[in-house]
């Protein structure tokens, strides 16, 4: 359950941060009229992600056993590829995510309502589709043997926590070291992804797409019974299987060792020209909207150089409220 909670928390928080950045920028620059199309785009993205998850869950039930295993294994491997790319992408671009989204919003504001809807949809939709696919693969891996709703419950609790954290970020009531958060959760997510990958390989073996189903690397079922509390814990956190095949263990190791080594290696986060240019743009926009530059002087935003979140929307909203009064 913890592994699935981590997935929901990590993926949900990324989507929440994107929403916070979009909304806070519009509030800070005095473009509250653009909030409605942005929320519309976010709503469409969430709806599409839920629909995609439903298609994966209910559509696969009509297939034969071999077809289900082939589909499940293939999508599990695809999900691992996508989440691995996402983890490394966020590790590399977390610092200037805000500047990138601000630039897209500036362009969309010039083009009109449709562009705003599309910008919000694309920004959140990618996160949503990745989340739906990886959550489906992970929950499927965890529930196939456990036969419980705990994995899905863990995912939902993680998403709910992410929504609450996103709201606290927006209100300026919470600060967090984003670089450290994404490093720790990203590393744990790589471990979870390794288990999903091994399970996907097992599915392909059961579908007779890959051989070696009878070649067991080891069998500790007597020592770690799958229905024991510690067996369930290992299954929920690491997708541990007490009797994996040789191919499963090989693929697990070939993925986990280099992926973790690369992810945890030092990464240079130099200040980019794009961030400096966007900061100047933000200050100019804030000045035009009645003092927004003061908020930037205070720091804040999810991509701040101090690697901390302290959303400027609360301060900007307070100033806007004072202006209206």
């Amino acid at each position: 359950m913890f592994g699935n909670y981590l997935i929901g928390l990590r993926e949900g928080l990324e989507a929440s941060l994107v929403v916070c950045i979009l909304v806070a920028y519009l509030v800070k620059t005095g473009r509250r009229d653009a909030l409605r199309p942005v929320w519309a785009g976010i709503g469409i993205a969430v709806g599409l992600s839920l629909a995609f998850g439903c298609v994966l869950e209910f559509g696969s039930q009509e297939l034969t056993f071999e077809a289900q295993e082939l589909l499940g294994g293939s999508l599990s491997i695809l999900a691992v590829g996508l989440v691995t790319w996402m983890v490394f992408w966020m590790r590399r671009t977390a610092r200037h995510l805000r500047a990138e989204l601000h630039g897209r919003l500036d362009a969309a504001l010039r083009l009109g309502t449709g562009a705003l809807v599309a910008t919000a949809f694309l920004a959140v939709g990618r996160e949503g589709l990745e989340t739906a696919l990886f959550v489906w693969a992970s929950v499927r891996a965890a529930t196939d043997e456990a036969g419980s709703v705990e994995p899905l419950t863990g995912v939902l609790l993680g998403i709910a926590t992410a929504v609450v954290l996103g709201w606290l970020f927006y209100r300026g009531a919470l600060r967090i070291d984003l670089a450290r958060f994404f490093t720790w959760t990203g590393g744990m997510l790589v471990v979870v992804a390794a288990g999903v990958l091994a399970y996907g390989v097992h599915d392909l073996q059961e579908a007779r797409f890959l051989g070696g189903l009878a070649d067991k690397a080891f069998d500790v079922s007597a020592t770690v019974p799958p229905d024991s509390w510690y067996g369930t814990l290992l299954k929920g956190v690491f997708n541990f299987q007490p009797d994996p095949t040789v191919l499963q263990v090989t693929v697990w190791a070939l993925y986990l060792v280099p992926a973790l080594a690369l992810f945890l290696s030092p990464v240079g986060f130099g200040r980019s020209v794009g961030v400096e240019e966007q900061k100047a743009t933000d200050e100019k926009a804030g000045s035009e909207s009645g003092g927004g530059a003061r908020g930037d002087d205070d720091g804040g935003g999810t991509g701040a150089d101090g690697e901390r979140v302290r959303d400027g929307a609360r301060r900007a909203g307070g100033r806007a409220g004072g202006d209206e009064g």
Side-chain angles (χ1 to χ4, degrees), residues 149-169:
V149 297
E150 288 187 2
L152 183 58
T153 302
V155 171
L156 295 177
L157 288 175
I159 293 176
T161 303
V163 171
V164 172
L165 290 176
W167 182 80
L168 291 175
F169 292 156

Side-chain angles (χ1 to χ4, degrees), residues 22 35 86 99 123 125 209:
L22 295 175
L35 286 175
M86 176 273 298
F209 183 79

